[in-house]
Amino acid sequence: MKVTNINGTSEYDCSCGSWLKHWEKFNSAGQSKPYLCPACGSPFVEVGAHVQKFGSFDDKWYIVPLCKACNNKSSSTILDIGACALAPASRASTCGY
């Protein structure tokens, strides 16, 4: 799957403790945190990044685990995350925040 980063979301908090923990709780496939960044292969999966699906009419926000370097890429950069599951970024429909 291909996604684009959503820049400027660092002010949004999640009651799960972090967006990475949010992803671990609510990803669509029940996957565990990957050992490598699904976008670049870095061994430092540090954040739950806000992304949108690339090339889709779906304009919803999702969370995906990424390294900080990939999370800091511009919103015009297309990231191929392979089969990594997405978690909805909507706090109201997931963690109740």
Side-chain angles (χ1 to χ4, degrees):
M1 174 176 295
K2 294 182 180 179
V3 297
T4 56
N5 192 29
I6 302 172
N7 300 121
T9 60
S10 61
E11 73 271 9
Y12 297 112
D13 291 327
C14 178
S15 63
C16 294
S18 74
W19 286 108
L20 187 55
K21 288 180 183 177
H22 178 93
W23 179 86
E24 290 180 289
K25 285 172 128 178
F26 298 108
N27 76 77
S28 58
Q31 294 176 346
S32 298
K33 181 180 131 186
Y35 293 104
L36 302 175
C37 175
C40 73
S42 165
F44 302 104
V45 179
E46 303 154 298
V47 298
H50 289 80
V51 299
Q52 287 183 299
K53 293 178 181 177
F54 175 75
S56 172
F57 291 108
D58 181 353
D59 63 351
K60 294 177 184 165
W61 289 16
Y62 295 94
I63 303 298
V64 68
L66 294 178
C67 67
K68 286 183 181 179
C70 286
N71 185 45
N72 288 328
K73 293 189 184 261
S74 77
S75 60
S76 63
T77 302
I78 300 166
L79 303 170
D80 188 343
I81 60 167
C84 187
L86 300 174
S90 170
R91 296 169 292 189
S93 66
T94 51
C95 54
Y97 176 73

